[in-house]
Amino acid sequence: KQLVRDGKASLSWKLRGALAEVDRLPSVWARFDFEGPMKKVNELRVYPISSFDCDWDHEVARPKECILQVAHGSLGGMFVDALSFTLGENQRESVTLSGFRTNRSKSWRLMIKNYHGVETTHSNPSTVMVGLKVELMEASVAFDSLQQLHILCNCSAALTNLHQLKGNGSADSKGGACVLEMTEREIEDKISRMRKEGETIEELIMGVYILPHESHKVVVSSASQKRRD
């Protein structure tokens, strides 16, 4: 494990005595703790490190399945999965991942679950090295989650109405010009994507309030029981 005090770092792990068999290599992770206000990360950039400046013989493991996690305040700081992704077996370029939604937090964690394989660079290596360059990024213009949810609900409702008008043959040039240029499948897919995105935001918002509310109910119930006793 590693601890990083910023959102950008070159990470490397030295697995002493690790065997070359991929299935025997352990998972590794790094924790990112931000100073100051909480961050709402919505973009991740990763770049596998394939060479290390080491004074010892080593092999290089190629990361495969990875998980980005965020510390959830309403769960007592427990880390929950925010994004799962898989790096290519011969990944040599940086990968930028975006479009995921999370709550604000000061702590994030990146985990490498498993590996594609191991590249041997020496005849008798005793150590396996694995590394990633990582950058956690916030949006340049941050939308309020409630405002974003409001916009998505209105847009999906409006597009659904225009879709129905098109089906009835009554979508005029003012209200339905863009819809008339879309196929039935494109309209339905767009409505579905907006609704799913809205549901994701709603779940995140409700998660912030429901768990503390339930916790307070337990405290109040316990206090009331004690008074009755």
Side-chain angles (χ1 to χ4, degrees):
K1 61 182 182 181
Q2 295 188 40
L3 180 62
V4 181
R5 293 294 182 184
D6 197 359
K8 185 177 182 179
S10 291
L11 306 171
S12 61
W13 293 267
K14 182 180 180 181
L15 309 180
R16 290 183 178 276
L19 300 177
E21 290 85 350
V22 176
D23 294 339
R24 301 287 296 274
L25 295 177
S27 300
V28 294
W29 58 269
R31 174 171 167 169
F32 295 79
D33 284 351
F34 289 96
E35 301 288 346
M38 294 186 292
K39 305 292 185 181
K40 187 171 185 178
V41 173
N42 71 342
E43 189 168 296
L44 170 68
R45 184 174 297 146
V46 294
Y47 179 84
I49 299 176
S50 57
S51 62
F52 299 85
D53 186 13
C54 302
D55 294 331
W56 55 85
D57 292 348
H58 64 277
E59 295 175 318
V60 178
R62 301 188 300 276
K64 184 179 179 182
E65 295 179 330
C66 305
I67 300 176
L68 176 66
Q69 300 177 316
V70 56
H72 208 296
S74 62
L75 299 178
M78 183 176 72
F79 283 93
V80 296
D81 294 353
L83 173 69
S84 297
F85 60 96
T86 301
L87 295 173
E89 184 172 0
N90 297 309
Q91 190 73 47
R92 292 292 184 267
E93 303 293 331
S94 63
V95 177
T96 300
L97 303 148
S98 59
F100 55 94
R101 296 187 178 278
T102 62
N103 291 319
R104 293 183 180 275
S105 178
K106 283 192 173 184
S107 297
W108 300 75
R109 188 163 66 184
L110 181 69
M111 177 184 297
I112 301 176
K113 290 180 60 180
N114 49 44
Y115 312 87
H116 284 291
V118 175
E119 297 177 358
T120 302
T121 57
H122 296 82
S123 57
N124 295 304
S126 60
T127 302
V128 174
M129 299 293 298
V130 58
L132 283 176
K133 292 181 181 179
V134 180
E135 188 174 0
L136 305 179
M137 294 170 285
E138 288 187 289
S140 56
V141 179
F143 281 101
D144 178 81
S145 295
L146 287 173
Q147 181 183 11
Q148 185 76 355
L149 179 60
H150 179 69
I151 292 171
L152 284 169
C153 289
N154 286 345
C155 288
S156 62
L159 189 56
T160 299
N161 290 336
L162 288 172
H163 185 204
Q164 293 172 349
L165 289 173
K166 180 182 178 181
N168 296 332
S170 56
D172 59 27
S173 58
K174 294 182 180 179
C178 62
V179 177
L180 291 172
E181 296 176 358
M182 301 171 66
T183 65
E184 293 288 324
R185 183 61 180 272
E186 289 174 339
I187 297 172
E188 292 170 358
D189 288 346
K190 193 171 187 65
I191 293 173
S192 177
R193 287 197 302 270
M194 287 192 291
R195 286 178 176 171
K196 288 180 180 179
E197 188 174 357
E199 290 171 358
T200 300
I201 297 174
E202 186 175 5
E203 288 177 2
L204 291 171
I205 294 173
M206 295 303 294
V208 173
Y209 299 107
I210 289 177
L211 289 177
H213 177 67
E214 294 296 329
S215 178
H216 294 157
K217 283 175 62 179
V218 172
V219 173
V220 172
S221 177
S222 177
S224 299
Q225 185 64 41
K226 288 180 180 179
R227 283 198 298 270
R228 286 195 295 267
D229 296 340

